[in-house]
């Protein structure tokens, strides 16, 4: 399941130069890499931008996961707060039964969006918890269109 949210990014790191300049003081090529974790909180700069958290202040993850009951069966659910001003990003939620190479994000078979607004993305696993020994859910954010 993916939601595509498009922004001037001269250094092509997925974050708008104006935001980088406001937060980091500059947007020069080679600085503020999307994969960097400026505050050491395990959230990359790109993820901090996507989730509207501050990349220079350590935060706990704003993602929440829980169970939702659908047709009397429990399903894993992930709630993702989105930065309404973040454009040009692809939010992809993936599920797996083994956390290996079998992550899936096909909207028709793997996950279903329950809410998808500029501020919030709530997705549930289509596989009921009682149909699998284990289920895992994760978020992947990228700066490229599908």
């Amino acid at each position: 399941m993916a939601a595509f949210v498009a922004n001037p990014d001269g250094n092509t790191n997925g974050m708008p130069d104006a935001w980088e300049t406001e937060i980091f003081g500059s947007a020069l090529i080679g600085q503020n890499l999307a994969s960097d974790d400026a505050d050491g909180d395990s959230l990359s700069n790109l993820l901090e931008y996507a989730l509207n958290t501050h990349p220079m202040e350590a935060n706990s993850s704003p993602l929440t996961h829980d169970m939702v009951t659908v047709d009397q069966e429990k399903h894993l659910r992930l709630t993702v707060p989105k930065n309404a001003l973040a454009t040009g990003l692809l939010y992809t939620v993936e599920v797996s039964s083994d956390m290996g190479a079998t992550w899936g994000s096909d909207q028709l078979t793997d996950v279903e969006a329950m809410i998808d607004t500029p501020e919030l993305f709530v997705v549930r696993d289509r596989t009921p918890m009682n149909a699998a020994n284990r289920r895992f859910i994760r978020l992947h954010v990228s700066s490229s269109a599908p």
Side-chain angles (χ1 to χ4, degrees):
M1 178 74 218
F4 183 70
V5 179
N7 218 338
D9 181 17
N11 60 9
T12 65
N13 64 0
M15 300 168 289
D17 295 341
W19 181 82
E20 285 182 77
T21 301
E22 177 184 333
I23 299 297
F24 298 109
S26 73
L28 299 174
I29 293 175
Q31 293 183 343
N32 317 321
L33 299 178
S35 60
D36 284 353
D37 179 8
D39 56 15
D41 62 3
S42 298
L43 299 175
S44 70
N45 290 338
L46 181 64
L47 196 55
E48 299 255 20
Y49 171 64
L51 301 177
N52 201 26
T53 56
H54 200 294
M56 300 297 283
E57 299 171 5
N59 311 284
S60 56
S61 175
L63 303 177
T64 57
H65 61 280
D66 61 0
M67 304 280 192
V68 61
T69 302
V70 177
D71 296 329
Q72 299 180 339
E73 293 184 302
K74 292 191 181 291
H75 296 259
L76 195 55
R77 174 174 59 184
L78 183 68
T79 300
V80 179
K82 295 185 338 189
N83 178 353
L85 301 177
T87 59
L89 298 178
L90 181 65
Y91 297 77
T92 304
V93 174
E94 301 171 318
V95 291
S96 174
S97 59
D98 62 8
M99 291 182 59
T102 58
W103 287 95
S105 61
D106 185 333
Q107 181 180 2
L108 298 176
T109 60
D110 297 321
V111 295
E112 176 182 350
M114 301 175 77
I115 300 171
D116 187 6
T117 69
E119 298 87 20
L120 188 65
F121 192 37
V122 180
V123 179
R124 77 167 174 92
D125 185 358
R126 286 187 182 269
T127 300
M129 292 300 294
N130 65 350
N133 287 334
R134 300 180 297 173
R135 293 299 285 170
F136 303 92
I137 193 164
R138 71 179 181 184
L139 172 69
H140 177 74
V141 174
S142 63
S143 61
S144 58

